[in-house]
Amino acid sequence: MLDSKIPQGPLEQKWTNYKKTAKLVNPANRKKLDVIVVGTGLAGSSIAASLGEMGYHVKSFCFQDSPRRAHSVAAQGGVNAAKNYKNDGDSVYRMFVDTLKGGDFRAREANVYRMAECSLNLIDQAVAQGVPFGREYGGYLNNRSFGGVQVSRTFYARGQTGQQLLLGAYQALMRQVGKNTVQLFSRHEMLDLVIIDGKARGIIVRNLDTGEIERHSAHAVVLATGGYGKIYYLSTLAMGCNGSAIWRAHKKGALMASPSWIQVHPTSLPQSGDYQSKLTLMSESLRNDGRIWVPLKENETRPSNDIPENERDYYLERRYPAFGNLAPRDISSRAAKERIDTGFGIGPLKNAVYLDFSKAIREQGKEKIQEKYGNLFDMYLKITGYDAYKEPMMISPSAHFSMGGLWVDYELMTTIPGLFALGEANFADHGANRLGANSLLQASVDGYFIAPYTIANYLSNEIHTGKISTEDPAFEKAENAVKQQIEDLINIKGTKTVDHYHKTLGKLLYDYCGLARNKEGLKYAIEEIQKLKAEFYKNVRVSGHGNNMNTELEKAGRVADYFEIGELMCYDALTRNESCGAHFREEYQTPDGEALRNDSEFQFISAWAWTGENQEPELIKEPLVFEEIQPTVRSYK
Amino acid sequence: MDLHLKIWRQKDKSTEGKLVNYDLKELNSHMSFLEMLDTLNEKLITEGEEPVEFDHDCREGICGQCGMMINGLAHGPLENTTTCQLHLRSFKDGETIVIEPFRAEAFPIKRDLKVDRSAFDRIISSGGFVSVNTGQAPDATAIAVTHQVAEEAFDSAACIGCGACVATCKNASAALFTSAKISHMALLPQGKEERSERVLKMVRQMDKELFGHCSNTEACEVECPQGISVLNIARMNYEYSRAMFFGKK
Ligand SMILES: Cc1cc2nc3c(=O)[nH]c(=O)nc-3n(C[C@H](O)[C@H](O)[C@H](O)COP(=O)(O)OP(=O)(O)OC[C@H]3O[C@@H](n4cnc5c(N)ncnc54)[C@H](O)[C@@H]3O)c2cc1C
Ligand code: SF4
Ligand code: FES
């Protein structure tokens, strides 16, 4: 039933062949076609700007007060591209292999290859827009090695690569806004998808400033709404990140793929208390020079600097000599959790490990380290009050990136015709684990280079459709449902805050569907989530009204969806009887504690269909076929 | 620690606002300033009152969405720090803290501590970009940019658009914000072609949005969380004069 629409021909030719044969829309016809883009991160800004440039009529939405604040702005480390500027043997093919292998052979070959291929153009595009990437003294672009890759393919703008890339895309978007090809709706939140005759035809949004509910129609709808890792409450994501847009599309028929694959980042700052609202990420580039260790002795009480070298356990270097401190994220995170759980954690809550720069400072000098990571050290000082030049940083694993999302085919179209999902909102390209610096890339190439072709291919059949009326009964029905939900939430008038429920759900997921999962735990979590959800609908307190600015109401709607997403995550994890990438099922591990994948039974993408409130979801499998490289066991020993 | 808060409460743009007193007890000094407001809001909600509306998102000092006047200072007492990166350890036990929205004619108050900063977007929209379409950009290293120039451009590009410079300026001038973008683009070869047009358009838009004029008090630099230098303003003035005298050359 699932048609992934992978083009024929050899891997290196697939995208070229697709582009050659994709249908076009005559420039004169483009202005007759409306496209809605929800999200102004890298994926959303870039597609909205691209379509605007081409002459389509675009409406762009985001919930922040300005598109420039979409969460892509927070990415620090860098963006990958197989430019081989360092002449160290990098190539599109090598990047493809690294990414596929990094994702534990749970991604589509053709998509992964295309992402590597398009990476070459992204750097060119960004530089042309004025992104000030790091440069060598001679004036050429610099790059570094990042997150478990042995070539230098990561481009960076200090520790603020996401910010600079996003500003580039945002400026391109604002240029189109100035030309009236794109209409901007910031502080607007999409609350439902409208389907007419089986096709995505519009959205219902709430104006967050006034509380007004609006209808917007279009010939195609693009969701570029980012990831839902904030479901864990404590995570590296911004407070507003959520899964509501994709979830509401899911409930209207779009399949959700691999929902349980959530990357836990190894280098975030540890939790310090119950009041804490988020965990701050320390760029993983720090692992290039920082060494990770815990005391050899259990329940060590001496301060870090008093623990002699021979009483430190550099556990990553010990267990994974080839990669050491640069071992991939899932492995590093799990290894940290293992040390913390067995009693070697450090810090006031014993929930962290050390990231130590003393050796690097000794060898390279403080100045050099300052130049490389100065802003991160400053940030660390601001948040924790400690000086990492003098003592090691404390870090711990934190929920970070959702590999799962809406299922899309090669054209980035969901199972609903006319509904596209881009960037972190889709499931594609990263498999069961994402390599560092690949997601800025994915979000950007989806928007700049892929979707402009595939959406045009779809729109070429819409030229004669004419304007879509928002008076259609489908709009009325969706709008009424949205209004009803808002009223219901406000009228519960219980005793507990929305945050209370979010925190409780997050803790459940960390414990039972986090870094490690098992059958019993997942079953327990499903029951508990159902109970929590039922209690939420009886006892949540949303203050204020629906008809004006009301942050609590916004949060309540998102948490309502999180319950259902969390439940699906557990179902997904439960059915996958293997360990792969970020998904570590305790029952499936090798004797020395490494993940045990099961290719003969689980070489497929799990796509889930919504079957109704409180019903078990339906699993639909997309088999993964590897033509170019055969799955091998990931080993970083 | 205990804190006495005086927070600006204002229902909407057209209703009059006032400072309201709140007391919080037994706060952890490691809490961030926004987490302190979260704590207050939890309390208000359970007591049946409406929570204080304030803007924030990343809580990492990078999105630029948070921002309020804290004891009369934009983003509070620490240098080069956004409100979300400010922690209670910067205050004394028992201290009274006055919290107000960023104020400027061009930033109308929406509710409580939230203000409308869309004027910044319109300034960018007027010309704060390189006019390049998506598609066939030339190879990125084809034009060399020296390390120093790239770093200098970055220093300007790092502005997070928070609006503290406007709020802290006695003229409510947007010169620091606008000049940062102008410098970023003017420094790089990619942005040079349009530099004259850009500066003229952006300055014109800035005036249209009712921002005041820069009178070189340099207060903006002091309170800018990104440490954006007032030298950018000098460069903007230079670019502006250059464009006025020599047009598009
Ligand atoms: C702290 C951090 C550091 C990272 N570092 C790196 C890195 O170094 N390298 C790397 O490659 N990746 C990194 N990532 C991951 C990367 O930043 C993201 O995967 C990527 O930016 C996602 O881009 P996006 O365009 O898909 O979504 P986002 O940038 O998250 O944008 C989502 C957009 O959708 C909008 N939106 C969402 N829901 C709605 C709705 N219902 N209605 C209206 N609008 C809505 C939002 O307003 C926003 O505009 C990092 C992530 C984090 C959290
Ligand atoms: S110049 Fe500084 S204070 Fe002004 S908007 Fe930019 S970052 Fe904020
Ligand atoms: S919340 Fe993003 S800068 Fe403070």
Side-chain angles (χ1 to χ4, degrees):
Chain A
M1 175 213 160
L2 283 178
D3 180 7
S4 58
K5 295 200 217 138
I6 297 170
Q8 294 300 313
L11 198 54
E12 313 85 70
Q13 293 299 317
K14 284 185 195 296
W15 181 231
T16 313
N17 286 344
Y18 178 90
K19 287 192 285 187
K20 252 193 242 164
T21 53
K23 282 178 273 172
L24 303 173
V25 179
N26 179 323
N29 285 327
R30 292 183 197 157
K31 55 179 174 295
K32 294 185 210 150
L33 293 166
D34 303 322
V35 184
I36 282 171
V37 179
V38 187
T40 58
L42 274 169
S45 289
S46 56
I47 186 63
S50 302
L51 293 173
E53 286 161 13
M54 291 157 85
Y56 295 97
H57 178 246
V58 183
K59 286 182 171 181
S60 156
F61 297 83
C62 70
F63 62 71
Q64 287 93 350
D65 73 336
S66 161
R68 65 181 288 148
R69 309 201 208 283
H71 192 53
S72 294
V73 82
Q76 302 164 345
V79 58
N80 284 339
K83 282 283 203 183
N84 195 29
Y85 285 153
K86 292 265 176 174
N87 205 20
D88 55 3
D90 202 9
S91 64
V92 167
Y93 187 79
R94 195 179 289 273
M95 181 169 172
F96 152 71
V97 174
D98 283 346
T99 304
L100 200 66
K101 196 173 146 204
D104 228 353
F105 296 92
R106 291 292 175 265
R108 251 188 234 140
E109 259 190 349
N111 282 60
V112 175
Y113 193 90
R114 178 176 63 184
M115 181 177 84
E117 191 178 335
C118 294
S119 74
L120 304 176
N121 301 27
L122 173 66
I123 301 302
D124 301 341
Q125 179 71 31
V127 167
Q129 288 171 342
V131 172
F133 282 122
R135 297 265 173 174
E136 308 259 20
Y137 283 91
Y140 297 105
L141 284 157
N142 202 352
N143 44 22
R144 59 189 175 199
S145 139
F146 192 76
V149 171
Q150 285 167 318
V151 288
S152 288
R153 71 163 67 106
T154 307
F155 293 78
Y156 60 94
R158 287 196 201 145
Q160 298 166 21
T161 315
Q163 178 199 35
Q164 291 306 314
L165 279 173
L166 182 64
L167 288 182
Y170 155 78
Q171 284 159 202
L173 174 71
M174 294 315 290
R175 174 171 162 241
Q176 296 308 312
V177 170
K179 289 183 169 180
N180 288 326
T181 61
V182 177
Q183 238 180 311
L184 184 64
F185 298 85
S186 48
R187 303 272 312 143
H188 277 67
E189 179 162 25
M190 166 184 163
L191 292 180
D192 209 357
L193 177 74
V194 178
I195 296 182
I196 301 174
D197 297 333
K199 291 179 176 172
R201 288 304 195 198
I203 58 174
I204 304 292
V205 297
R206 180 163 180 272
N207 178 330
L208 302 181
D209 282 343
T210 63
E212 262 164 286
I213 304 294
E214 302 170 5
R215 305 175 183 186
H216 295 271
S217 70
H219 297 89
V221 175
V222 181
L223 300 186
T225 52
Y228 53 88
K230 188 72 194 165
I231 193 170
Y232 288 89
Y233 194 71
L234 285 177
S235 83
T236 62
L237 280 91
M239 301 304 287
C241 290
N242 68 87
S244 285
I246 59 172
W247 189 251
R248 295 187 185 194
H250 171 66
K251 288 172 95 169
K252 285 275 167 97
L255 301 189
M256 272 286 279
S258 320
S260 72
W261 290 347
I262 305 242
Q263 182 164 70
V264 173
H265 201 288
T267 61
S268 105
L269 298 185
Q271 185 182 5
S272 59
D274 282 342
Y275 53 79
Q276 197 147 342
S277 55
K278 75 163 290 189
L279 299 177
T280 302
L281 182 72
M282 284 280 121
S283 166
E284 136 173 271
S285 62
L286 290 169
R287 293 203 278 151
N288 283 331
D289 285 301
R291 297 178 74 198
I292 294 176
W293 61 276
V294 290
L296 263 180
K297 208 175 87 199
E298 227 170 300
N299 294 319
E300 177 63 77
T301 50
R302 287 174 289 177
S304 56
N305 287 336
D306 293 354
I307 304 174
E309 198 61 26
N310 60 357
E311 291 178 44
R312 299 175 176 194
D313 177 13
Y314 294 92
Y315 57 89
L316 284 177
E317 297 171 27
R318 167 168 62 79
R319 284 178 65 178
Y320 309 98
F323 283 76
N325 296 301
L326 291 175
R329 292 179 176 177
D330 55 332
I331 289 182
S332 307
S333 298
R334 220 156 40 235
K337 179 175 156 53
E338 190 271 334
R339 286 291 83 189
I340 291 169
D341 288 351
T342 42
F344 297 92
I346 53 100
L349 300 181
K350 300 277 172 219
N351 59 352
V353 299
Y354 287 126
L355 176 63
D356 194 337
F357 290 87
S358 55
K359 182 160 179 268
I361 291 174
R362 255 193 328 272
E363 285 171 1
Q364 303 172 34
K366 185 176 165 187
E367 221 159 82
K368 187 84 200 165
I369 296 298
Q370 205 157 12
E371 187 194 315
K372 284 199 230 177
Y373 313 109
N375 64 324
L376 296 168
F377 278 55
D378 292 347
M379 186 159 117
Y380 184 78
L381 179 68
K382 262 178 209 165
I383 296 171
T384 64
Y386 298 114
D387 182 353
Y389 293 107
K390 294 199 179 121
E391 55 187 314
M393 282 184 185
M394 291 184 279
I395 54 163
S396 80
S398 165
H400 179 56
F401 179 87
S402 41
M403 275 78 72
L406 288 179
W407 183 91
V408 289
D409 60 22
Y410 188 75
E411 295 191 296
L412 305 182
M413 188 153 85
T414 67
T415 43
I416 299 174
L419 180 70
F420 294 80
L422 272 53
E424 201 176 330
N426 73 28
F427 88 105
D429 299 11
H430 305 295
N433 187 30
R434 174 192 68 125
L435 286 186
N438 259 357
S439 47
L440 289 179
L441 170 66
Q442 184 227 339
S444 305
V445 300
D446 278 6
Y448 284 126
F449 307 122
I450 299 168
Y453 288 93
T454 63
I455 294 176
N457 189 50
Y458 175 83
L459 289 175
S460 64
N461 289 323
E462 294 288 335
I463 293 163
H464 303 295
T465 305
K467 202 94 195 141
I468 315 262
S469 164
T470 51
E471 295 307 311
D472 191 282
F475 272 97
E476 174 149 359
K477 203 169 153 217
E479 180 180 320
N480 288 340
V482 161
K483 285 182 168 162
Q484 188 62 50
Q485 193 209 16
I486 290 174
E487 216 173 291
D488 290 349
L489 286 171
I490 298 236
N491 286 333
I492 297 171
K493 298 204 190 315
T495 59
K496 298 229 164 86
T497 61
V498 176
D499 282 355
H500 161 80
Y501 287 100
H502 193 171
K503 285 180 189 176
T504 314
L505 173 69
K507 173 103 179 45
L508 254 171
L509 289 172
Y510 260 116
D511 289 346
Y512 300 102
C513 194
L515 264 173
R517 302 102 191 254
N518 62 48
K519 189 173 163 188
E520 294 313 311
L522 289 164
K523 286 188 159 164
Y524 172 77
I526 292 173
E527 280 171 26
E528 287 302 304
I529 294 173
Q530 285 168 348
K531 277 192 233 160
L532 193 67
K533 177 179 159 186
E535 199 211 300
F536 170 87
Y537 281 109
K538 280 205 202 88
N539 202 21
V540 75
R541 176 168 202 105
V542 182
S543 45
H545 311 278
N547 56 5
N548 60 1
M549 185 183 287
N550 189 340
T551 306
E552 281 303 300
L553 177 64
E554 293 165 30
K555 291 198 288 193
R558 294 169 192 163
V559 171
D561 294 332
Y562 275 149
F563 287 123
E564 295 174 350
I565 299 174
E567 204 178 320
L568 183 67
M569 281 165 60
C570 294
Y571 274 114
D572 185 47
L574 193 57
T575 49
R576 195 163 275 275
N577 293 330
E578 64 161 351
S579 292
C580 62
H583 171 63
F584 190 76
R585 274 285 295 272
E586 287 166 346
E587 302 94 320
Y588 307 97
Q589 53 178 305
T590 61
D592 53 350
E594 300 301 332
L596 194 61
R597 215 176 56 210
N598 179 349
D599 287 338
S600 60
E601 289 179 73
F602 292 96
Q603 194 166 294
F604 60 79
I605 294 294
S606 302
W608 295 91
W610 172 256
T611 52
E613 209 77 38
N614 299 322
Q615 304 276 324
E616 268 194 39
E618 182 196 349
L619 173 63
I620 298 160
K621 297 175 184 175
E622 180 202 334
L624 288 169
V625 183
F626 296 103
E627 292 172 7
E628 191 68 30
I629 49 174
Q630 285 316 303
T632 48
V633 175
R634 272 167 88 217
S635 171
Y636 294 91
K637 292 259 168 201
Chain B
M1 61 197 283
D2 297 350
L3 290 176
H4 310 289
L5 308 173
K6 286 183 181 297
I7 303 182
W8 186 261
R9 302 298 309 255
Q10 180 169 340
K11 203 159 157 262
D12 52 40
K13 195 173 158 181
S14 42
T15 315
E16 227 175 294
K18 62 170 192 297
L19 285 169
V20 178
N21 292 311
Y22 300 97
D23 283 338
L24 284 179
K25 294 205 182 316
E26 288 174 36
L27 298 162
N28 184 318
S29 67
H30 285 302
M31 223 180 233
S32 74
F33 199 81
L34 299 186
E35 283 163 352
M36 182 269 290
L37 290 178
D38 291 342
T39 310
L40 171 68
N41 279 347
E42 285 268 314
K43 190 167 159 246
L44 292 179
I45 295 164
T46 35
E47 287 168 357
E49 282 182 58
E50 289 199 19
V52 180
E53 292 283 351
F54 61 96
D55 252 328
H56 65 102
D57 199 22
C58 74
R59 297 203 173 186
E60 279 194 15
I62 189 78
C63 75
Q65 186 145 316
C66 66
M68 47 196 82
M69 300 304 282
I70 300 170
N71 289 338
L73 298 169
H75 294 296
L78 290 191
E79 249 175 55
N80 300 352
T81 304
T82 54
T83 306
C84 58
Q85 296 293 87
L86 178 66
H87 289 73
L88 295 194
R89 67 179 86 89
S90 297
F91 299 89
K92 285 194 290 289
D93 189 22
E95 192 171 336
T96 299
I97 307 177
V98 181
I99 309 171
E100 289 173 278
F102 280 175
R103 292 187 194 274
E105 199 177 350
F107 288 171
I109 294 182
K110 295 208 257 189
R111 185 179 174 128
D112 297 342
L113 304 173
K114 284 191 178 185
V115 299
D116 179 354
R117 285 167 291 194
S118 54
F120 274 6
D121 288 329
R122 290 187 291 273
I123 292 177
I124 296 296
S125 185
S126 73
F129 44 73
V130 178
S131 296
V132 55
N133 280 358
T134 309
Q136 311 301 323
D139 187 82
T141 48
I143 306 170
V145 181
T146 65
H147 176 78
Q148 207 174 334
V149 168
E151 293 297 306
E152 221 180 306
F154 186 101
D155 285 341
S156 303
C159 160
I160 57 175
C162 64
C165 47
V166 175
T168 202
C169 172
K170 66 178 163 64
N171 310 320
S173 158
L176 195 62
F177 167 83
T178 310
S179 68
K181 185 52 59 189
I182 285 168
S183 297
H184 160 208
M185 295 286 180
L187 280 163
L188 292 171
Q190 290 79 10
K192 279 222 159 77
E193 279 302 318
E194 291 171 282
R195 61 200 275 205
S196 302
E197 235 170 289
R198 178 179 308 117
V199 69
L200 296 176
K201 285 184 178 164
M202 289 179 79
V203 169
R204 203 180 309 139
Q205 187 66 32
M206 191 167 74
D207 293 342
K208 223 161 92 184
E209 297 289 348
L210 305 177
F211 288 106
H213 283 282
C214 170
S215 56
N216 293 315
T217 61
E218 304 192 1
C220 51
E221 179 181 311
V222 179
E223 306 228 347
C224 169
Q226 292 294 91
I228 303 288
S229 160
V230 288
L231 291 178
N232 286 293
I233 302 180
R235 188 187 307 274
M236 174 168 80
N237 292 338
Y238 163 77
E239 290 289 332
Y240 189 79
S241 316
R242 187 183 165 279
M244 290 293 280
F245 294 130
F246 302 111
K248 289 185 185 169
K249 267 178 271 164

